[in-house]
Amino acid sequence: KQEVTQIPAALSVPEGENLVLNCSFTDSAIYNLQWFRQDPGKGLTSLLLIQSSQREQTSGRLNASLDKSSGRSTLYIAASQPGDSATYLCAQIKAAGNKLTFGGGTRVLVKP
Amino acid sequence: DAGVIQSPRHEVTEMGQEVTLRCKPISGHDYLFWYRQTMMRGLELLIYFNNNVPIDDSGMPEDRFSAKMPNASFSTLKIQPSEPRDSAVYFCASSWGGGNYNEQFFGPGTRLTVL
C-alpha cells in the first residue's frame, strides 16, 4: 500500500491561476513533511519543510499546510507562472527514522 | 556552500561491469542518503548513514549493491556486476540531524544506463 499519495498525477492550468497540490499520508507518526520541485532531467529542489508541530509554512508565493489528523498536506502556489511548470513531490519523515518516503509526484504544466 | 556534489553526472556501461557512484555531502551535515528514481517505482531510499555509519540499508536491492562512507565528506555507491534493470537516476542527499528540521538537500543525480 502506498504510504504517501499524490493526486492528481498531472495538472494543467492557465497562467495566473492558483495551484493546489495534494499529498496524503497513511502513517500519522509524521515527524516532518517536505515539499520538493523537480525539473525534467534535474535533481530535487527543497521548497518547504513543515515540522509536525506546525500547521503551515510560507515562502513567497508558496504556502504549505499540514493536517496530521486527516493525513494531508497541501501546497498552494499563488498566481502561477509558466516557470512553475515542473513535478512537485511531497515526502514524509517518520518519527522513528530519518529517511524520506516520497509520493509519486504531481506533474504541473502552466500554460501561458 | 556548493551543495551536494555527485559524480559522474552520466554513466553508460555494459552489463556485467562495475559501476561506482560518488557523493560529497554538504559540509557539516551528519546524515547522508542514497536514493534511486525510476519511472516505475519513483524515488526510493537505498541506504542512509549517520556520522559515517550505515543505519538502514533495507532498501538496497541485493548483494550486487554496496555503499561506503569512509569519512564525513565522501560516500560511494557501487554496483557489481551491473544489470540493465539497474538503469535509473541515483541521487545523494544530506541533512543535519540537529534541531527539529532534518531538511534534506539533494545532489543533481547520476543518470546510469546499463546496456
Side-chain angles (χ1 to χ4, degrees), chain B:
Chain B
D1 199 318
V4 177
I5 299 172
Q6 291 187 248
S7 65
R9 295 293 308 277
H10 301 273
E11 177 81 30
V12 180
T13 190
E14 294 191 346
M15 182 173 64
Q17 296 298 306
E18 178 180 296
V19 175
T20 299
L21 311 181
R22 297 172 176 81
C23 175
K24 176 179 169 56
I26 293 173
S27 177
H29 283 187
D30 54 351
Y31 282 86
L32 184 139
F33 306 82
W34 283 101
Y35 292 89
R36 180 171 67 175
Q37 186 176 36
T38 62
M39 289 293 292
M40 291 296 295
R41 300 176 66 88
L43 267 159
E44 298 177 297
L45 178 75
L46 298 176
I47 184 171
Y48 79 92
F49 297 83
N50 177 219
N51 292 321
N52 314 336
V53 176
I55 302 300
D56 184 348
D57 65 354
S58 59
M60 295 286 261
E62 49 201 270
D63 292 344
R64 298 185 297 106
F65 285 69
S66 63
K68 294 182 180 179
M69 191 165 186
N71 57 62
S73 60
F74 184 67
S75 177
T76 59
L77 177 68
K78 186 174 294 186
I79 308 172
Q80 166 64 18
S82 58
E83 297 182 1
R85 60 191 168 124
D86 301 330
S87 297
V89 181
Y90 291 81
F91 289 104
C92 176
S94 70
S95 69
W96 179 59
N100 294 319
Y101 296 104
N102 305 111
E103 185 174 5
Q104 291 190 23
F105 296 90
F106 280 68
T110 295
R111 183 174 296 276
L112 173 65
T113 302
V114 183
L115 303 173

Side-chain angles (χ1 to χ4, degrees), chain A residues 25-104:
Chain A
F25 46 91
T26 56
D27 192 339
S28 61
I30 186 171
Y31 188 65
N32 290 332
L33 190 129
Q34 197 167 351
W35 281 93
F36 294 89
R37 168 183 173 141
Q38 185 174 29
D39 292 285
K42 304 291 185 182
L44 280 72
T45 300
S46 178
L47 297 174
L48 289 168
L49 180 144
I50 311 176
Q51 299 174 50
S52 60
S53 59
Q54 298 175 321
R55 287 193 172 268
E56 64 178 344
Q57 276 283 1
T58 299
S59 176
R61 292 185 297 113
L62 306 180
N63 174 277
S65 65
L66 176 64
D67 185 339
K68 288 174 58 179
S69 61
S70 65
R72 293 181 183 178
S73 177
T74 304
L75 178 67
Y76 299 90
I77 303 177
S80 62
Q81 303 168 359
D84 294 328
S85 298
T87 296
Y88 292 83
L89 298 118
C90 69
Q92 175 189 26
I93 299 177
K94 296 181 182 178
N98 230 310
K99 60 184 181 182
L100 287 170
T101 301
F102 281 88

